């Protein structure tokens, strides 16, 4: 029996199925002062159509908790109260089209202030639309400037910015917030000894490198309704210690398993299990390169987990969930290619597609 279209209830939120839209930057906000960070009609159509297409949960792209925390000047943001109303339009449209609405709260750290990917994605300097990136230590990502090291006071501000953004996400009507602790952005910069060289309470031991992440979780849980889930996207590995030719100490599966247990104790309900992004290193090409690690993480921690990455056919999605290996799957590029992917999967598996009358009678 397929479980892909079973509901999933977490706290008081019921997600209608287990196939979800993965957060993906669209680089489509207007970067001008006063407009930066605000969703537009493009975002409305983009997210509403994936909801109508059957996704159980639609998680908005990396949405910056501070302007310097945007990946690019074209990102969405929740760093100001002016962002609440336009985000509410998106949450309302996602709900009206049958899905649960989530938003990924992000700070890009040492990989902030980059150009449009279709224009090369390089560093955008303060002389044009950009800014100086920040991080735990002045250790640069290849091709980017060295980040400015955050002081202890700055770290407190960042934690507060995540909490303030969660308050705005709640006011905008989102049901789920996802903390972005993956892909080489700020929280991952603290986790990995490659980018974190601090000698204070935020560097060194695993407890110290994880400190800011746990503080962010606590700060969000203190303001985010208890009835609503908190997810965390985590890179389970930097893909460095898997490479025998690379002898650097890095972020690994063992450390991830420990962090996930701590995160769960503090009120994170589900791990969105990704990998990589901290450095430019070789990664495996196998179809299950990442989903196998998600399965392993779930088995080791017993914390609810969603798999993501190269899940582009119905059988793979169905096997991952129906086996009980993971609780749900996130799809990225397949939903860019085909907004109705989830409805088509439902039809194939004998489940009920969303808006069946509007579409199915005509086909
Ligand atoms: C265009 C694009 C933008 C992305 N932006 C984000 C993002 O904002 N936040 C994030 O956590 N991952 C982001 N990702 C990663 C995806 O969410 C997903 O994890 C990855 O594409 C692997 O899944 P897929 O094989 O189904 O595409 C992005 C991926 C793509 C292709």
């Amino acid at each position: 029996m397929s479980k892909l279209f079973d509901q999933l209830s977490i706290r008081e939120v019921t997600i209608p199925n287990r196939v979800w839209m993965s957060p993906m930057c669209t680089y489509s906000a207007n970067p001008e002062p006063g407009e930066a960070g605000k969703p537009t009609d493009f975002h409305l159509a983009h997210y509403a159509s994936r909801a109508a297409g059957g996704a159980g949960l639609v998680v908005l792209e990396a949405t910056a908790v501070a302007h310097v925390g945007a990946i690019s000047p074209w990102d969405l943001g929740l760093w100001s109260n002016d962002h609440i109303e336009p985000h509410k339009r998106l949450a309302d449209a996602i709900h009206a089209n049958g899905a649960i609405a989530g938003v990924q709260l992000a700070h890009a750290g040492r990989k902030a202030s980059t150009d449009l990917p279709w224009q090369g994605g390089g560093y955008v300097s303060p002389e044009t639309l950009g800014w100086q990136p920040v991080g735990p230590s002045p250790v640069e990502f290849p091709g980017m400037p060295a980040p400015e090291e955050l002081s202890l006071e700055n770290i407190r501000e960042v934690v507060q910015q995540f909490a303030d953004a969660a308050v705005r996400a709640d006011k905008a009507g989102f049901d789920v917030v996802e903390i972005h602790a993956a892909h080489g952005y700020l929280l991952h910069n603290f986790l990995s000894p490659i980018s974190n060289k601090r000698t204070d309470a935020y560097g060194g031991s695993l407890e110290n490198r994880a400190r800011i992440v746990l503080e962010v979780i606590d700060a969000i849980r203190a303001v985010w309704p208890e009835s609503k889930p908190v997810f965390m996207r985590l890179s389970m590995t930097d893909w460095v210690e898997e490479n025998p030719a690379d002898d650097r100490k890095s972020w690994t599966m063992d450390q991830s398993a420990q962090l996930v247990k701590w995160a769960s104790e503090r009120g994170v309900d589900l791990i969105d299990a990704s990998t990589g992004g901290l450095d430019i290193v070789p990664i495996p090409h196998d179809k299950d390169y990442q989903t196998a690690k998600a399965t392993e993480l779930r088995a080791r921690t017993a914390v609810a987990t969603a798999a993501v990455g190269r899940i582009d056919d119905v059988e793979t999605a169905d096997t991952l969930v129906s086996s009980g290996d993971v609780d749900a799957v996130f799809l990225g590029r397949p939903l860019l290619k085909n907004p109705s992917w989830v409805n088509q999967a439902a039809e194939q598996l004998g489940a009920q597609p969303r808006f069946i009358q509007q579409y199915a009678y005509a086909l």
Side-chain angles (χ1 to χ4, degrees), residues 71-133:
I71 296 168
S72 82
W74 297 269
D75 284 15
L76 294 185
L78 273 172
W79 65 80
S80 146
N81 289 340
D82 294 342
H83 293 131
I84 297 172
E85 207 45 49
H87 270 89
K88 186 169 185 310
R89 282 181 77 217
L90 296 196
D92 289 349
I94 292 166
H95 289 146
N97 287 286
I100 294 297
V103 56
Q104 186 182 51
L105 301 183
H107 192 305
R110 68 178 192 160
K111 283 167 64 174
S113 191
T114 56
D115 206 347
L116 296 164
W118 51 87
Q119 291 184 2
Y123 176 55
V124 180
S125 72
E127 284 71 53
T128 55
L129 288 169
W131 56 88
Q132 164 66 46

Side-chain angles (χ1 to χ4, degrees), residues 153-191:
E153 176 59 25
N154 298 151
I155 290 174
R156 275 192 289 278
E157 285 163 9
V158 167
V159 171
Q160 189 60 44
Q161 286 162 347
F162 271 95
D164 293 345
V167 169
R168 296 184 188 111
D170 181 44
K171 288 187 176 153
F174 287 93
D175 312 288
V176 175
V177 286
E178 174 170 285
I179 299 166
H180 197 349
H183 300 170
Y185 298 119
L186 186 70
L187 298 181
H188 188 183
N189 295 161
F190 273 88
L191 292 174

Side-chain angles (χ1 to χ4, degrees), residues 198-222:
R198 298 180 77 97
T199 53
D200 61 11
Y202 292 88
S205 65
L206 173 59
E207 286 79 359
N208 283 358
R209 283 179 282 119
R211 189 176 308 280
I212 188 172
V213 177
L214 302 181
E215 288 179 352
V216 164
I217 295 168
D218 287 346
I220 288 180
R221 264 282 159 233

